[in-house]
Amino acid sequence: MIELERVSKSYNRGQVKAVDDLTLTVKPGEIFGFLGPNGAGKTTTIKLIVGLLRPDAGRIAVEGHDVVKEPLAAKQVTTYVPDYPAVYERLTGLEYLNFIGDVYGVAKAERLERIQKWLDIFELAAAVTNPIQSYSQGMKQKIVLTAALLPAPRVMVLDEPLVGLDPRSAHQLKEMFRGHCDAGKTLFFSTHIMEVAEKLCDRIGIIHRGKLVACGTMAELKAMDRTEGGQSLEEIFLGVTET
Amino acid sequence: MIRAGGAGGGAGGGAGSGVSRFRTIVTVIRAGLRSNFGLATVKHRLFKEKKDRWLVWLIAASFLGVAPLFYGIAVTIQKVYGVLKPMGQEWALLSLGFLAGQFLILIFGVYYIISAFYFSRDLELLIPLPLRPSEVMAGKFAVVVVNEWLTVAAVVLPVVVTLGVVSRAGPGYWVNAALVYAALPVIPLAVVSLVVVAMMRVVNVSRKKDALILVGSILLTVLVLGIQIVLGKTAGGGGPETSAEVVAKLFASPDSLLNRIGVFFPPSIWAAKAAAGGFTAKGLANLALLWGVSLGLFAGMVGLAEMLFYRGVIGLGETTEKKRRLTRDEMSRRVTSARRAKAAIFGREWKIMNRTPIFLLNGTLVAVIFPAFFVLMATVSSGGGGRGGGAGVPIALLKAMASANPLIVTLATALFMTVCGSLNGTSSSTFSREGAQFWISRVIPVAPREQAAAKFLHSYLVAALGVVTAGAVAAIFLREKAVHLAAAAGLALAAGVLLTVVGMAIDLARPLLDWTNPQKAIKQNLNVLLAMLADIGILTAAFFGVKALIKARMGTGATLAVLFAALAAVSAASYAALMRFADKRYPTLGSNL
């Protein structure tokens, strides 16, 4: 579960309000899609959840652990995939996975099983002993995703996870999302792909200028929308983020 | 039409007339310097954002901190000048200063040239532009030359300035010295460039590029050192000589000592004679010789660049690896059991440092090369490449000192070990080296102090490697007693904790994480310079502390024990402070990555 209570974050000494009094709860077993125009505050919100940024005000908790007061406990149950897969290029894929397994304390048996499973799914098995430096952008994205799945976290937070993935891998990732949440875990991800959000997410939040301007299931969002015939997520999105 | 240019030499556009080509080169050089030294960013942060003004004060304070050291050097030079002048050998010191500077450039030049020519990310922007390979390389070369002016300043300028002042030199000395200083890095760098460009042409066709670069650069360094030593020995003349004969030869005629020292790298003779001679015919002739050879070698390098540079650089960053699926057993062996987080972070630091040539060359290897440089300089200073005078005059002096005053030799050895271990960029770039990957350190469930402790262990091991190498040099060349070596190593290892902590604290305070070119994280990282200045300040403070202890006539054992206890106490306190600082600082870092 992820809880944000009246969270605010601004930059440039308060001149730019990136997140403004945001309250949001993502329940266990839920896939939550986070949408918004460029610069709306999506990445800032995600960085606040994973502890890369500190909120100016408000409280954020992951599985009941306050991310500011109990950062290690919160991090132990969370994994994060950034929008750009910057990873240790001089390590091999397997060395990177072992590193993540070590710092999250994943036992050898589970580690072996999960690594083999996800490497097979992402078709990385033949490249895992090569340096990450030799990977394509999509392969780097896949190794970061594999690393994020390795600890089998209670909460996954992903920033634009589908960017750079080929259609097969994107499909498999979406399947993984569903499987993760069917096991009662939580998944929070941002995306610009409306179709993905519409089809995959249990609930969707739309952030605009730091404020949550819409939040709910697809049915709830459609009910909220007062525009004529605005029934697709894209039209709802355009409606609530106008000017 | 798209034309593939460059790889075969002579890229398309930008040829034009000599004047327009000159303008192009000047533009490329200007852009290279601005980008390399981040002048626009510095200007913006200092004058627009008014953010880094404290740094200016810090640097000024650091220079004030090391002022006593330079004062000590100047006084020593003045005294040696007083001894050599009556024998007509006073300018030998100038030759030694220039030679030390040029040796430094020769030895480290291999790494500087490789990193500037082949690992700058801006090459990806420059190569597609309508520029000739030689123009791109000239731009890069200029950046390295400016870097070298700054690097060797601490070695060469104290000698040049002190000699100019004590000899009451006229304008001819100062003008020529400035021109000599400007040309000083060109010959060694051009020689190194010629070899490196040829080497990289071969490296680029291999699959194991990183390994080849590493092995190749080490071999080149050994080759450079070897050539200098052979040159010195050959020039020493035939037949064995007694010590008396050597000494007689050294002082046979004016400048004979200068010539003898400079024989290891003749341009240092031309440089010294050009400055010492001022506006006389001899001075101007040597200046013309130095500049002529510099320009000639530069032209040769430019010519070679047209043929080979792009063939070595294009595709260097691409790595192709054979793909092979591991069997279940192989995978089981290679998937590790859960190690402790600290061990995992230490392993990561170790692997990344040793597998990134620029990090390895500017960090770990410095700890090994520095003692080798000392041996070379000590041998050179003997004036005969180890001939006649045995292991060399300075080494003989140190040996004599060792038997006469064990306290002094222990302290000098400890200082040597400390300098070899700690004056590299490992600790002061430990956070910066993570660069854009620092987000990983921020999100993993490992306490900042634990991460800092693992990084400390890595940096400290590099420092310890330097201590061991320096110890080996002291044992082999000075034949120091084991008890002195052990005492010196104890002091150096205690001081190493403090200096490692200081380097890490400086880098933690202002890590450079937004680099795109790994050499910026270590070679061009201001933190490395700040840490070195801080280290020199600490060592100077320790020097005065020791001086006070010696004055108090405490006895050798007691003095060493008090010094060790003081260093250990300060080191322990500084380590604890670093851990607290890490806890406080980590949550504020890398949020923009």
Side-chain angles (χ1 to χ4, degrees), chain A residues 63-105:
Chain A
E63 295 290 296
H65 303 292
D66 188 308
V67 299
V68 175
K69 291 178 185 157
E70 310 164 74
L72 292 186
K75 286 172 183 176
Q76 188 65 51
V77 293
T78 313
T79 58
Y80 163 61
V81 176
D83 54 351
Y84 181 78
V87 263
Y88 306 123
E89 303 233 330
R90 300 283 171 171
L91 299 188
T92 66
L94 192 54
E95 284 171 342
Y96 178 58
L97 296 177
N98 271 326
F99 171 74
I100 293 294
D102 288 338
V103 294
Y104 278 91

mmCIF file of all heavy atoms in Angstrom, chain A residues 63-105:
data_model
loop_
_atom_site.group_PDB
_atom_site.id
_atom_site.type_symbol
_atom_site.label_atom_id
_atom_site.label_comp_id
_atom_site.label_asym_id
_atom_site.label_seq_id
_atom_site.Cartn_x
_atom_site.Cartn_y
_atom_site.Cartn_z
ATOM 1 N N GLU A 63 3.617 0.622 2.727
ATOM 2 C CA GLU A 63 3.324 -0.521 3.606
ATOM 3 C C GLU A 63 3.379 -0.082 5.075
ATOM 4 O O GLU A 63 3.897 -0.802 5.918
ATOM 5 C CB GLU A 63 4.314 -1.668 3.346
ATOM 6 C CG GLU A 63 4.197 -2.270 1.966
ATOM 7 C CD GLU A 63 2.914 -3.086 1.752
ATOM 8 O OE1 GLU A 63 2.744 -4.102 2.423
ATOM 9 O OE2 GLU A 63 2.093 -2.657 0.919
ATOM 10 N N GLY A 64 2.884 1.086 5.336
ATOM 11 C CA GLY A 64 2.828 1.605 6.702
ATOM 12 C C GLY A 64 4.107 2.247 7.204
ATOM 13 O O GLY A 64 4.137 2.816 8.291
ATOM 14 N N HIS A 65 5.189 2.187 6.409
ATOM 15 C CA HIS A 65 6.458 2.778 6.844
ATOM 16 C C HIS A 65 6.604 4.195 6.282
ATOM 17 O O HIS A 65 6.583 4.384 5.057
ATOM 18 C CB HIS A 65 7.647 1.943 6.365
ATOM 19 C CG HIS A 65 7.595 0.525 6.812
ATOM 20 N ND1 HIS A 65 7.739 0.153 8.135
ATOM 21 C CD2 HIS A 65 7.388 -0.624 6.119
ATOM 22 C CE1 HIS A 65 7.641 -1.160 8.232
ATOM 23 N NE2 HIS A 65 7.415 -1.658 7.027
ATOM 24 N N ASP A 66 6.777 5.156 7.165
ATOM 25 C CA ASP A 66 6.983 6.540 6.745
ATOM 26 C C ASP A 66 8.315 6.639 5.980
ATOM 27 O O ASP A 66 9.355 6.246 6.525
ATOM 28 C CB ASP A 66 7.016 7.439 7.990
ATOM 29 C CG ASP A 66 7.022 8.912 7.629
ATOM 30 O OD1 ASP A 66 7.875 9.307 6.814
ATOM 31 O OD2 ASP A 66 6.169 9.659 8.142
ATOM 32 N N VAL A 67 8.274 7.153 4.760
ATOM 33 C CA VAL A 67 9.506 7.130 3.938
ATOM 34 C C VAL A 67 10.580 8.085 4.459
ATOM 35 O O VAL A 67 11.759 7.942 4.116
ATOM 36 C CB VAL A 67 9.225 7.421 2.437
ATOM 37 C CG1 VAL A 67 8.310 6.379 1.848
ATOM 38 C CG2 VAL A 67 8.686 8.816 2.220
ATOM 39 N N VAL A 68 10.189 9.067 5.279
ATOM 40 C CA VAL A 68 11.185 9.989 5.833
ATOM 41 C C VAL A 68 11.706 9.468 7.176
ATOM 42 O O VAL A 68 12.912 9.476 7.424
ATOM 43 C CB VAL A 68 10.590 11.406 5.991
ATOM 44 C CG1 VAL A 68 11.583 12.347 6.682
ATOM 45 C CG2 VAL A 68 10.186 11.970 4.630
ATOM 46 N N LYS A 69 10.776 8.977 7.993
ATOM 47 C CA LYS A 69 11.183 8.552 9.339
ATOM 48 C C LYS A 69 11.767 7.141 9.358
ATOM 49 O O LYS A 69 12.599 6.819 10.194
ATOM 50 C CB LYS A 69 9.997 8.639 10.295
ATOM 51 C CG LYS A 69 9.588 10.086 10.559
ATOM 52 C CD LYS A 69 8.394 10.136 11.470
ATOM 53 C CE LYS A 69 7.908 11.572 11.637
ATOM 54 N NZ LYS A 69 6.513 11.646 12.046
ATOM 55 N N GLU A 70 11.268 6.274 8.504
ATOM 56 C CA GLU A 70 11.785 4.882 8.472
ATOM 57 C C GLU A 70 12.209 4.543 7.043
ATOM 58 O O GLU A 70 11.617 3.660 6.418
ATOM 59 C CB GLU A 70 10.701 3.888 8.879
ATOM 60 C CG GLU A 70 9.963 4.173 10.151
ATOM 61 C CD GLU A 70 8.677 3.345 10.204
ATOM 62 O OE1 GLU A 70 8.774 2.132 10.437
ATOM 63 O OE2 GLU A 70 7.608 3.919 9.965
ATOM 64 N N PRO A 71 13.189 5.260 6.526
ATOM 65 C CA PRO A 71 13.523 5.069 5.102
ATOM 66 C C PRO A 71 13.962 3.654 4.741
ATOM 67 O O PRO A 71 13.573 3.138 3.690
ATOM 68 C CB PRO A 71 14.654 6.078 4.857
ATOM 69 C CG PRO A 71 15.201 6.403 6.202
ATOM 70 C CD PRO A 71 14.063 6.262 7.160
ATOM 71 N N LEU A 72 14.735 3.017 5.626
ATOM 72 C CA LEU A 72 15.241 1.683 5.269
ATOM 73 C C LEU A 72 14.115 0.653 5.232
ATOM 74 O O LEU A 72 14.085 -0.200 4.333
ATOM 75 C CB LEU A 72 16.336 1.242 6.240
ATOM 76 C CG LEU A 72 17.639 2.032 6.170
ATOM 77 C CD1 LEU A 72 18.681 1.397 7.083
ATOM 78 C CD2 LEU A 72 18.178 2.099 4.749
ATOM 79 N N ALA A 73 13.188 0.764 6.183
ATOM 80 C CA ALA A 73 12.062 -0.178 6.195
ATOM 81 C C ALA A 73 11.202 0.025 4.941
ATOM 82 O O ALA A 73 10.735 -0.948 4.330
ATOM 83 C CB ALA A 73 11.231 0.042 7.455
ATOM 84 N N ALA A 74 11.006 1.291 4.559
ATOM 85 C CA ALA A 74 10.208 1.579 3.354
ATOM 86 C C ALA A 74 10.921 1.072 2.107
ATOM 87 O O ALA A 74 10.300 0.479 1.211
ATOM 88 C CB ALA A 74 9.943 3.080 3.256
ATOM 89 N N LYS A 75 12.240 1.270 2.056
ATOM 90 C CA LYS A 75 13.002 0.844 0.872
ATOM 91 C C LYS A 75 13.048 -0.683 0.770
ATOM 92 O O LYS A 75 13.108 -1.230 -0.323
ATOM 93 C CB LYS A 75 14.425 1.410 0.929
ATOM 94 C CG LYS A 75 14.475 2.904 0.620
ATOM 95 C CD LYS A 75 15.859 3.472 0.867
ATOM 96 C CE LYS A 75 15.862 4.977 0.617
ATOM 97 N NZ LYS A 75 17.151 5.580 0.930
ATOM 98 N N GLN A 76 13.053 -1.341 1.916
ATOM 99 C CA GLN A 76 13.138 -2.807 1.912
ATOM 100 C C GLN A 76 11.941 -3.443 1.203
ATOM 101 O O GLN A 76 12.060 -4.523 0.624
ATOM 102 C CB GLN A 76 13.237 -3.309 3.367
ATOM 103 C CG GLN A 76 13.530 -4.781 3.525
ATOM 104 C CD GLN A 76 14.909 -5.183 2.990
ATOM 105 O OE1 GLN A 76 15.915 -4.577 3.327
ATOM 106 N NE2 GLN A 76 14.946 -6.183 2.118
ATOM 107 N N VAL A 77 10.805 -2.759 1.208
ATOM 108 C CA VAL A 77 9.603 -3.354 0.595
ATOM 109 C C VAL A 77 9.273 -2.742 -0.765
ATOM 110 O O VAL A 77 8.259 -3.075 -1.369
ATOM 111 C CB VAL A 77 8.374 -3.210 1.526
ATOM 112 C CG1 VAL A 77 8.550 -4.058 2.781
ATOM 113 C CG2 VAL A 77 8.116 -1.752 1.893
ATOM 114 N N THR A 78 10.140 -1.822 -1.229
ATOM 115 C CA THR A 78 9.850 -1.109 -2.479
ATOM 116 C C THR A 78 10.967 -1.323 -3.488
ATOM 117 O O THR A 78 12.140 -1.343 -3.109
ATOM 118 C CB THR A 78 9.778 0.421 -2.211
ATOM 119 O OG1 THR A 78 8.980 0.650 -1.066
ATOM 120 C CG2 THR A 78 9.207 1.177 -3.403
ATOM 121 N N THR A 79 10.616 -1.460 -4.754
ATOM 122 C CA THR A 79 11.652 -1.323 -5.789
ATOM 123 C C THR A 79 11.178 -0.280 -6.793
ATOM 124 O O THR A 79 9.982 -0.004 -6.915
ATOM 125 C CB THR A 79 11.977 -2.642 -6.517
ATOM 126 O OG1 THR A 79 10.796 -3.138 -7.114
ATOM 127 C CG2 THR A 79 12.593 -3.655 -5.588
ATOM 128 N N TYR A 80 12.153 0.273 -7.489
ATOM 129 C CA TYR A 80 11.884 1.443 -8.338
ATOM 130 C C TYR A 80 12.559 1.261 -9.688
ATOM 131 O O TYR A 80 13.691 0.778 -9.770
ATOM 132 C CB TYR A 80 12.432 2.671 -7.599
ATOM 133 C CG TYR A 80 12.637 3.932 -8.433
ATOM 134 C CD1 TYR A 80 11.573 4.553 -9.080
ATOM 135 C CD2 TYR A 80 13.899 4.520 -8.526
ATOM 136 C CE1 TYR A 80 11.769 5.725 -9.812
ATOM 137 C CE2 TYR A 80 14.099 5.695 -9.249
ATOM 138 C CZ TYR A 80 13.031 6.287 -9.886
ATOM 139 O OH TYR A 80 13.223 7.434 -10.609
ATOM 140 N N VAL A 81 11.865 1.644 -10.728
ATOM 141 C CA VAL A 81 12.453 1.646 -12.074
ATOM 142 C C VAL A 81 12.347 3.076 -12.606
ATOM 143 O O VAL A 81 11.238 3.584 -12.771
ATOM 144 C CB VAL A 81 11.700 0.675 -13.014
ATOM 145 C CG1 VAL A 81 12.245 0.757 -14.433
ATOM 146 C CG2 VAL A 81 11.810 -0.749 -12.503
ATOM 147 N N PRO A 82 13.490 3.730 -12.825
ATOM 148 C CA PRO A 82 13.426 5.127 -13.279
ATOM 149 C C PRO A 82 13.073 5.221 -14.768
ATOM 150 O O PRO A 82 13.051 4.202 -15.468
ATOM 151 C CB PRO A 82 14.838 5.643 -13.027
ATOM 152 C CG PRO A 82 15.702 4.446 -13.099
ATOM 153 C CD PRO A 82 14.870 3.274 -12.677
ATOM 154 N N ASP A 83 12.838 6.440 -15.211
ATOM 155 C CA ASP A 83 12.447 6.623 -16.621
ATOM 156 C C ASP A 83 13.628 6.419 -17.565
ATOM 157 O O ASP A 83 13.440 6.149 -18.733
ATOM 158 C CB ASP A 83 11.805 8.000 -16.842
ATOM 159 C CG ASP A 83 12.669 9.140 -16.347
ATOM 160 O OD1 ASP A 83 13.684 8.872 -15.676
ATOM 161 O OD2 ASP A 83 12.328 10.306 -16.620
ATOM 162 N N TYR A 84 14.842 6.553 -17.042
ATOM 163 C CA TYR A 84 16.024 6.329 -17.880
ATOM 164 C C TYR A 84 16.882 5.269 -17.202
ATOM 165 O O TYR A 84 17.283 5.445 -16.050
ATOM 166 C CB TYR A 84 16.818 7.633 -18.056
ATOM 167 C CG TYR A 84 18.022 7.451 -18.937
ATOM 168 C CD1 TYR A 84 17.888 7.395 -20.320
ATOM 169 C CD2 TYR A 84 19.293 7.298 -18.384
ATOM 170 C CE1 TYR A 84 18.993 7.197 -21.131
ATOM 171 C CE2 TYR A 84 20.400 7.100 -19.192
ATOM 172 C CZ TYR A 84 20.237 7.050 -20.558
ATOM 173 O OH TYR A 84 21.332 6.845 -21.364
ATOM 174 N N PRO A 85 17.173 4.160 -17.887
ATOM 175 C CA PRO A 85 17.867 3.059 -17.207
ATOM 176 C C PRO A 85 19.379 3.285 -17.054
ATOM 177 O O PRO A 85 20.184 2.677 -17.750
ATOM 178 C CB PRO A 85 17.591 1.863 -18.121
ATOM 179 C CG PRO A 85 17.448 2.442 -19.478
ATOM 180 C CD PRO A 85 16.899 3.829 -19.305
ATOM 181 N N ALA A 86 19.748 4.167 -16.133
ATOM 182 C CA ALA A 86 21.179 4.373 -15.856
ATOM 183 C C ALA A 86 21.639 3.287 -14.888
ATOM 184 O O ALA A 86 21.257 3.281 -13.726
ATOM 185 C CB ALA A 86 21.392 5.755 -15.243
ATOM 186 N N VAL A 87 22.416 2.337 -15.406
ATOM 187 C CA VAL A 87 22.895 1.222 -14.567
ATOM 188 C C VAL A 87 24.415 1.118 -14.678
ATOM 189 O O VAL A 87 25.021 1.752 -15.537
ATOM 190 C CB VAL A 87 22.284 -0.140 -14.979
ATOM 191 C CG1 VAL A 87 21.112 -0.482 -14.108
ATOM 192 C CG2 VAL A 87 21.905 -0.179 -16.417
ATOM 193 N N TYR A 88 25.002 0.294 -13.813
ATOM 194 C CA TYR A 88 26.461 0.162 -13.799
ATOM 195 C C TYR A 88 26.927 -0.547 -15.066
ATOM 196 O O TYR A 88 26.886 -1.772 -15.156
ATOM 197 C CB TYR A 88 26.895 -0.639 -12.572
ATOM 198 C CG TYR A 88 26.382 -0.081 -11.269
ATOM 199 C CD1 TYR A 88 25.621 -0.858 -10.411
ATOM 200 C CD2 TYR A 88 26.656 1.228 -10.894
ATOM 201 C CE1 TYR A 88 25.148 -0.355 -9.207
ATOM 202 C CE2 TYR A 88 26.186 1.746 -9.697
ATOM 203 C CZ TYR A 88 25.432 0.947 -8.860
ATOM 204 O OH TYR A 88 24.973 1.457 -7.675
ATOM 205 N N GLU A 89 27.419 0.251 -15.998
ATOM 206 C CA GLU A 89 27.742 -0.296 -17.318
ATOM 207 C C GLU A 89 28.917 -1.261 -17.297
ATOM 208 O O GLU A 89 29.050 -2.086 -18.184
ATOM 209 C CB GLU A 89 28.052 0.854 -18.281
ATOM 210 C CG GLU A 89 26.912 1.853 -18.376
ATOM 211 C CD GLU A 89 26.481 2.104 -19.789
ATOM 212 O OE1 GLU A 89 27.328 2.003 -20.676
ATOM 213 O OE2 GLU A 89 25.288 2.393 -20.002
ATOM 214 N N ARG A 90 29.787 -1.131 -16.287
ATOM 215 C CA ARG A 90 30.977 -1.989 -16.261
ATOM 216 C C ARG A 90 30.725 -3.328 -15.564
ATOM 217 O O ARG A 90 31.620 -4.154 -15.513
ATOM 218 C CB ARG A 90 32.130 -1.268 -15.564
ATOM 219 C CG ARG A 90 32.533 0.020 -16.251
ATOM 220 C CD ARG A 90 33.342 -0.253 -17.478
ATOM 221 N NE ARG A 90 33.563 0.962 -18.255
ATOM 222 C CZ ARG A 90 34.378 1.039 -19.286
ATOM 223 N NH1 ARG A 90 35.045 -0.020 -19.687
ATOM 224 N NH2 ARG A 90 34.505 2.158 -19.948
ATOM 225 N N LEU A 91 29.541 -3.489 -15.000
ATOM 226 C CA LEU A 91 29.205 -4.792 -14.430
ATOM 227 C C LEU A 91 28.491 -5.622 -15.492
ATOM 228 O O LEU A 91 27.899 -5.073 -16.415
ATOM 229 C CB LEU A 91 28.270 -4.635 -13.231
ATOM 230 C CG LEU A 91 28.758 -3.850 -12.018
ATOM 231 C CD1 LEU A 91 27.761 -3.990 -10.871
ATOM 232 C CD2 LEU A 91 30.126 -4.313 -11.563
ATOM 233 N N THR A 92 28.539 -6.926 -15.340
ATOM 234 C CA THR A 92 27.727 -7.758 -16.228
ATOM 235 C C THR A 92 26.292 -7.730 -15.677
ATOM 236 O O THR A 92 26.062 -7.361 -14.516
ATOM 237 C CB THR A 92 28.220 -9.210 -16.246
ATOM 238 O OG1 THR A 92 27.997 -9.782 -14.949
ATOM 239 C CG2 THR A 92 29.699 -9.308 -16.599
ATOM 240 N N GLY A 93 25.361 -8.142 -16.524
ATOM 241 C CA GLY A 93 23.973 -8.168 -16.075
ATOM 242 C C GLY A 93 23.816 -9.015 -14.821
ATOM 243 O O GLY A 93 23.135 -8.622 -13.866
ATOM 244 N N LEU A 94 24.494 -10.159 -14.797
ATOM 245 C CA LEU A 94 24.361 -11.070 -13.656
ATOM 246 C C LEU A 94 24.986 -10.467 -12.391
ATOM 247 O O LEU A 94 24.444 -10.623 -11.288
ATOM 248 C CB LEU A 94 25.022 -12.421 -13.984
ATOM 249 C CG LEU A 94 24.714 -13.555 -13.018
ATOM 250 C CD1 LEU A 94 23.221 -13.768 -12.833
ATOM 251 C CD2 LEU A 94 25.354 -14.853 -13.496
ATOM 252 N N GLU A 95 26.108 -9.769 -12.570
ATOM 253 C CA GLU A 95 26.733 -9.122 -11.406
ATOM 254 C C GLU A 95 25.806 -8.065 -10.820
ATOM 255 O O GLU A 95 25.704 -7.906 -9.598
ATOM 256 C CB GLU A 95 28.071 -8.486 -11.803
ATOM 257 C CG GLU A 95 29.182 -9.495 -11.983
ATOM 258 C CD GLU A 95 30.446 -8.897 -12.594
ATOM 259 O OE1 GLU A 95 30.366 -7.795 -13.186
ATOM 260 O OE2 GLU A 95 31.498 -9.546 -12.502
ATOM 261 N N TYR A 96 25.129 -7.347 -11.700
ATOM 262 C CA TYR A 96 24.193 -6.315 -11.221
ATOM 263 C C TYR A 96 23.041 -6.972 -10.457
ATOM 264 O O TYR A 96 22.646 -6.514 -9.377
ATOM 265 C CB TYR A 96 23.674 -5.492 -12.403
ATOM 266 C CG TYR A 96 22.662 -4.444 -11.994
ATOM 267 C CD1 TYR A 96 22.980 -3.464 -11.058
ATOM 268 C CD2 TYR A 96 21.375 -4.431 -12.538
ATOM 269 C CE1 TYR A 96 22.053 -2.511 -10.675
ATOM 270 C CE2 TYR A 96 20.450 -3.482 -12.162
ATOM 271 C CZ TYR A 96 20.787 -2.519 -11.227
ATOM 272 O OH TYR A 96 19.865 -1.584 -10.835
ATOM 273 N N LEU A 97 22.528 -8.069 -10.997
ATOM 274 C CA LEU A 97 21.421 -8.763 -10.327
ATOM 275 C C LEU A 97 21.880 -9.331 -8.985
ATOM 276 O O LEU A 97 21.147 -9.271 -7.996
ATOM 277 C CB LEU A 97 20.877 -9.873 -11.228
ATOM 278 C CG LEU A 97 20.234 -9.397 -12.538
ATOM 279 C CD1 LEU A 97 19.805 -10.585 -13.394
ATOM 280 C CD2 LEU A 97 19.046 -8.484 -12.274
ATOM 281 N N ASN A 98 23.093 -9.867 -8.945
ATOM 282 C CA ASN A 98 23.624 -10.369 -7.671
ATOM 283 C C ASN A 98 23.765 -9.238 -6.655
ATOM 284 O O ASN A 98 23.482 -9.418 -5.471
ATOM 285 C CB ASN A 98 24.991 -11.023 -7.894
ATOM 286 C CG ASN A 98 24.863 -12.505 -8.226
ATOM 287 O OD1 ASN A 98 23.968 -13.184 -7.722
ATOM 288 N ND2 ASN A 98 25.717 -12.999 -9.094
ATOM 289 N N PHE A 99 24.202 -8.079 -7.142
ATOM 290 C CA PHE A 99 24.353 -6.916 -6.259
ATOM 291 C C PHE A 99 23.000 -6.551 -5.633
ATOM 292 O O PHE A 99 22.886 -6.368 -4.413
ATOM 293 C CB PHE A 99 24.924 -5.735 -7.055
ATOM 294 C CG PHE A 99 24.933 -4.428 -6.305
ATOM 295 C CD1 PHE A 99 25.856 -4.207 -5.300
ATOM 296 C CD2 PHE A 99 24.008 -3.430 -6.589
ATOM 297 C CE1 PHE A 99 25.856 -3.010 -4.593
ATOM 298 C CE2 PHE A 99 23.996 -2.242 -5.891
ATOM 299 C CZ PHE A 99 24.928 -2.019 -4.890
ATOM 300 N N ILE A 100 21.985 -6.485 -6.498
ATOM 301 C CA ILE A 100 20.640 -6.131 -5.999
ATOM 302 C C ILE A 100 20.150 -7.227 -5.035
ATOM 303 O O ILE A 100 19.593 -6.933 -3.971
ATOM 304 C CB ILE A 100 19.657 -5.936 -7.184
ATOM 305 C CG1 ILE A 100 20.074 -4.697 -7.998
ATOM 306 C CG2 ILE A 100 18.213 -5.817 -6.701
ATOM 307 C CD1 ILE A 100 19.949 -3.373 -7.266
ATOM 308 N N GLY A 101 20.390 -8.485 -5.395
ATOM 309 C CA GLY A 101 19.999 -9.583 -4.516
ATOM 310 C C GLY A 101 20.666 -9.470 -3.151
ATOM 311 O O GLY A 101 20.041 -9.699 -2.114
ATOM 312 N N ASP A 102 21.942 -9.093 -3.156
ATOM 313 C CA ASP A 102 22.682 -8.941 -1.896
ATOM 314 C C ASP A 102 22.119 -7.814 -1.034
ATOM 315 O O ASP A 102 21.908 -7.992 0.159
ATOM 316 C CB ASP A 102 24.168 -8.651 -2.179
ATOM 317 C CG ASP A 102 24.902 -9.872 -2.716
ATOM 318 O OD1 ASP A 102 24.428 -10.993 -2.483
ATOM 319 O OD2 ASP A 102 25.939 -9.691 -3.388
ATOM 320 N N VAL A 103 21.899 -6.657 -1.644
ATOM 321 C CA VAL A 103 21.489 -5.513 -0.810
ATOM 322 C C VAL A 103 20.045 -5.657 -0.328
ATOM 323 O O VAL A 103 19.677 -5.089 0.702
ATOM 324 C CB VAL A 103 21.702 -4.141 -1.511
ATOM 325 C CG1 VAL A 103 23.168 -3.872 -1.734
ATOM 326 C CG2 VAL A 103 20.921 -4.025 -2.800
ATOM 327 N N TYR A 104 19.223 -6.429 -1.050
ATOM 328 C CA TYR A 104 17.856 -6.672 -0.574
ATOM 329 C C TYR A 104 17.774 -7.960 0.250
ATOM 330 O O TYR A 104 16.708 -8.312 0.736
ATOM 331 C CB TYR A 104 16.881 -6.748 -1.751
ATOM 332 C CG TYR A 104 16.434 -5.380 -2.246
ATOM 333 C CD1 TYR A 104 17.124 -4.722 -3.250
ATOM 334 C CD2 TYR A 104 15.323 -4.741 -1.694
ATOM 335 C CE1 TYR A 104 16.731 -3.473 -3.701
ATOM 336 C CE2 TYR A 104 14.922 -3.482 -2.137
ATOM 337 C CZ TYR A 104 15.626 -2.856 -3.138
ATOM 338 O OH TYR A 104 15.227 -1.611 -3.577
ATOM 339 N N GLY A 105 18.901 -8.670 0.358
ATOM 340 C CA GLY A 105 18.931 -9.878 1.179
ATOM 341 C C GLY A 105 18.104 -11.020 0.613
ATOM 342 O O GLY A 105 17.401 -11.727 1.353
#
